[in-house]
Amino acid sequence: MSAAQERFEGVEIVYCDNHVLVAVKPPNMPSQADASGDCDLLTLMKAYVKQKYQKPGNVYLGLVHRLDRPVGGLMAFARTSKAAARLSQQLRTHAMRREYLCVAQGEALEQARLADVLEYDDGAAKEAVLCYERLEAREGLSLLRVRLETGRKHQIRRQLQHAGLPLWGDARYGNGRPGQQIALWGARLLLTHPTSGAALTFTSLPPQAFPWQIFAHALFTDRSPEVD
């Protein structure tokens, strides 16, 4: 296995072998094709695999999880159906860990566990649980590290808004304004390799732009992804 750490059409590929591909989704790019018709990460990564390995015909690439369109950060893909099944199982059993960095408006507690029931337009009501740790607070903002215990649509955004800590730049669940970029980033991904059983850890830090840079000394110590 070997880490890729290269770029394709502006997207950073952190890792790629015969079973797993990990890339950094740019903010405002769909995770997969949608009604907008805009370029999406899944389609782009299929093109990357096809070109890199000179694959004839259609390329298989399984979408293991998603990030909201405005959110950037790490995403894992499966290169075989067996890998897709095993990684999906890790996701369901929480063996795959996804950690996020975000900047919330207001001064958060040093740490908290939030449990809510989120209602959706289709009438469904689902339990949502997350834990956060405050890394720093300044200028009326809090830098948080968030770990999900459940995987619900818009979970972090909705739960923090409900807790009185809307994310900076979130136009849907906060008071984000046009031109602002939501301060939520998929920063850490831990999984077990689906065939070798190796523990893999990947990290990615958000761009050095406001409001991230006001927490620069807490964030930008090492921007290189890691594979353990």
Side-chain angles (χ1 to χ4, degrees):
M1 297 184 299
S2 61
Q5 297 190 14
E6 57 184 293
R7 288 187 175 272
F8 180 78
E9 300 292 337
V11 172
E12 182 182 3
I13 294 91
V14 178
Y15 182 89
C16 186
D17 66 12
N18 291 332
H19 309 277
V20 179
L21 185 152
V22 178
V24 179
K25 186 180 88 65
N28 302 316
M29 176 181 284
S31 295
Q32 63 184 129
D34 61 17
S36 71
D38 294 341
C39 179
D40 66 279
L41 189 60
L42 177 60
T43 299
L44 201 60
M45 292 301 94
K46 285 183 178 180
Y48 164 76
V49 171
K50 186 177 181 67
Q51 176 177 300
K52 181 176 179 66
Y53 298 101
Q54 300 181 340
K55 293 279 189 180
N58 294 329
V59 169
Y60 176 86
L61 197 63
L63 185 70
V64 178
H65 61 102
R66 299 170 179 81
L67 289 174
D68 293 349
R69 178 168 181 151
V71 179
L74 292 163
M75 283 185 61
F77 300 87
R79 291 200 53 206
T80 67
S81 57
K82 179 182 290 187
R86 292 179 177 176
L87 291 174
S88 296
Q89 176 67 9
Q90 290 181 39
L91 194 64
R92 285 191 297 271
T93 60
H94 310 298
M96 179 187 297
R97 290 177 53 193
R98 292 175 292 162
E99 297 179 0
Y100 299 80
L101 291 172
C102 64
V103 177
Q105 299 178 75
E107 185 164 340
L109 300 173
E110 289 188 5
Q111 58 184 25
R113 183 176 186 268
L114 304 180
D116 297 282
V117 175
L118 302 182
E119 297 182 355
Y120 293 92
D121 292 340
D122 61 1
K126 299 181 179 180
E127 182 185 30
V129 182
L130 64 78
C131 297
Y132 75 72
E133 173 190 2
R134 190 188 74 204
L135 302 180
E136 189 172 8
R138 58 170 53 198
E139 300 182 24
L141 301 172
S142 294
L143 174 66
L144 307 179
R145 178 163 51 214
V146 177
R147 180 173 58 83
L148 295 177
E149 293 188 17
T150 58
R152 309 302 185 198
K153 184 177 181 181
H154 298 173
Q155 179 177 339
I156 295 174
R157 300 162 66 185
R158 293 184 64 180
Q159 286 199 268
L160 288 176
Q161 188 274 337
H162 185 256
L165 297 164
L167 296 187
W168 190 92
D170 191 345
R172 183 164 185 171
Y173 299 105
N175 56 2
R177 298 188 298 274
Q180 292 183 338
Q181 179 61 53
I182 187 171
L184 177 58
W185 192 264
R188 190 171 173 88
L189 180 64
L190 301 91
L191 58 90
T192 301
H193 192 276
T195 59
S196 73
L200 304 181
T201 301
F202 305 98
T203 59
S204 173
L205 294 179
Q208 298 188 47
F210 190 87
W212 300 109
Q213 82 264 26
I214 70 171
F215 302 103
H217 61 285
L219 276 178
F220 304 110
T221 55
D222 181 2
R223 293 184 54 84
S224 59
E226 301 173 357
V227 181
D228 294 346

